[in-house]
Amino acid sequence: MKDGHEWSPLEISPADVQLEASAEGLSTFVKSADIGDLLVKEKAVVFRGFGVDEASLDPIIDELLSNRAAYVHGNSPRTKVGQNVYTSTEYPAEFVISMHNELSYAHRWPSRLLFFCAVAPETGGATPVVDGALWLASLDDEVREAFAGGVRYTQNLHGGRGLGKSWQQTFETEDRDEVERFLTEAEASWEWRRGDDLRITHARQSVLRHPVTGTEVWFNQSDQWHPATLGEDAAALAKVLPMDELPQTVTFADGSPIPPEYVLQVRDRGLEAAVDVDWRTGDLMLIDNVLVGHGRRSFTGDRRVLVAMSS
């Protein structure tokens, strides 16, 4: 129990496992532990005090993630800094990023995420994490029932100039045929518009059962795709452009609009149920991307948190 919450991540230090405070010590622990079972049980694990830095990070990633996945079809602004290693997000420091499961809007999502703190912020900048089952249970019955049929996401990706990310950035390719193959496999609908712009529509689940535990969790990003939660600029843009012309929008699966108060409740209750993980330089956090949602608190000063993911 932590701060009144029913769950919090497991924290492991060198003293806890009687190993040296080094990347080699962490590697020894990882090789001796059943990380899969540990992660299913604990949902999120923080490794603190092992002295990992960017130079020693790569072998640790390989040991904690069996198969690094690229951030293909991702809508968050990031920079690729290594072999499928990315900055965690590049949204301005003053904004809070609400809770979400990575790529829950896509047809494939990573099973695990590994965060690494290369530079801790001066103030704030925690990564809040939320138990997805607790998040689902926190919602009013009316909201859960309304989402039971799933949601429909629409993306408008420009070809190099425009609002939001381009399709080239989103899919990490310049090849239209490669994008179309990806979208066919994803069972998404798409059309090329105005020369080189791309519109994608895809229906997805709103809740999901974990493949091992069977636990049902909230698993969609409707609040992050809905203009009601995106601040004054997005609200102003939504008044000027038709909904289906915005960079990204969401409806219920049948195309009917999602009431703003529903997505505001989803956003707020996720953040209220979350536990903050405050970063120290050298920390790592491994999370089960189905059982646990994550976000970001606002911060001051420099903050460099990297992320890698496993399919």
Side-chain angles (χ1 to χ4, degrees):
M1 199 92 168
K2 178 179 179 180
D3 297 329
H5 292 276
E6 298 179 3
W7 168 84
S8 61
L10 174 68
E11 184 174 317
I12 296 176
S13 70
D16 295 326
V17 291
Q18 299 182 331
L19 290 168
E20 63 178 304
S22 66
E24 291 75 16
L26 177 56
S27 178
T28 298
F29 170 75
V30 171
K31 289 175 181 176
S32 66
D34 189 328
I35 294 297
D37 285 350
L38 180 67
L39 191 59
V40 167
K41 177 184 176 183
E42 301 293 343
K43 305 174 187 177
V45 181
V46 176
F47 301 101
R48 174 162 286 160
F50 285 94
V52 178
D53 57 20
E54 286 196 58
S56 59
L57 178 62
D58 223 49
I60 298 296
I61 295 177
D62 286 338
E63 290 169 355
L64 289 171
L65 301 180
S66 59
N67 181 27
R68 295 192 210 184
Y71 186 59
V72 176
H73 203 180
N75 67 337
S76 177
R78 303 176 187 267
T79 299
K80 195 171 186 176
V81 297
Q83 181 189 351
N84 289 342
V85 179
Y86 302 82
T87 55
S88 62
T89 186
E90 294 174 4
Y91 282 116
E94 64 269 24
F95 294 121
V96 172
I97 299 174
S98 60
M99 309 310 295
H100 60 285
N101 304 79
E102 202 63 53
L103 290 169
S104 62
Y105 54 83
H107 78 298
R108 289 182 181 172
W109 44 82
S111 59
R112 298 181 185 179
L113 303 181
L114 180 65
F115 296 91
F116 168 71
C117 180
V119 179
E122 183 178 334
T123 65
T127 294
V129 287
V130 64
D131 181 327
L134 179 62
W135 190 5
L136 176 62
S138 75
L139 302 176
D140 292 350
D141 291 344
E142 176 185 356
V143 173
R144 288 198 302 269
E145 291 167 6
F147 276 93
V151 295
R152 180 187 297 173
Y153 301 102
T154 299
Q155 287 175 286
N156 289 301
L157 303 173
H158 60 80
R161 298 181 64 182
L163 296 169
K165 293 178 71 174
S166 68
W167 61 263
Q168 295 94 332
Q169 293 170 314
T170 299
F171 294 101
E172 295 189 3
T173 182
E174 301 280 337
D175 187 340
R176 281 191 179 205
D177 290 339
E178 186 175 339
V179 172
E180 292 185 1
R181 285 193 294 271
F182 180 94
L183 294 174
T184 298
E185 184 180 350
E187 298 181 351
S189 301
W190 76 89
E191 60 175 319
W192 296 100
R193 309 171 68 242
R194 293 189 294 271
D196 206 28
D197 292 353
L198 175 63
R199 174 177 289 173
I200 304 167
T201 304
H202 40 118
R204 297 289 181 254
Q205 72 293 313
S206 59
V207 298
L208 189 69
R209 289 195 179 276
H210 189 272
V212 175
T213 68
T215 303
E216 189 175 45
V217 298
W218 185 252
F219 198 80
N220 67 82
Q221 282 171 246
S222 57
D223 63 307
Q224 292 194 333
W225 287 58
H226 197 291
T229 67
L230 298 180
E232 295 180 1
D233 290 344
L237 189 62
K239 291 179 181 178
V240 176
L241 291 176
M243 284 289 287
D244 64 358
E245 294 290 339
L246 295 173
Q248 57 187 44
T249 55
V250 63
T251 65
F252 288 125
D254 62 4
S256 60
I258 301 174
E261 61 269 23
Y262 285 8
V263 292
L264 290 169
Q265 180 182 129
V266 168
R267 180 196 65 186
D268 294 345
R269 300 221 177 142
L271 286 166
E272 289 165 5
V275 176
D276 284 353
V277 175
D278 294 306
W279 290 111
R280 302 174 194 170
T281 298
D283 285 354
L284 299 103
M285 179 167 63
L286 183 67
I287 70 173
D288 185 305
N289 185 48
V290 173
L291 293 175
V292 175
H294 67 281
R296 190 203 69 187
R297 303 293 184 184
S298 59
F299 65 94
T300 64
D302 293 331
R303 179 187 189 270
R304 180 171 171 82
V305 175
L306 306 180
V307 64
M309 35 195 109
S310 176
S311 58

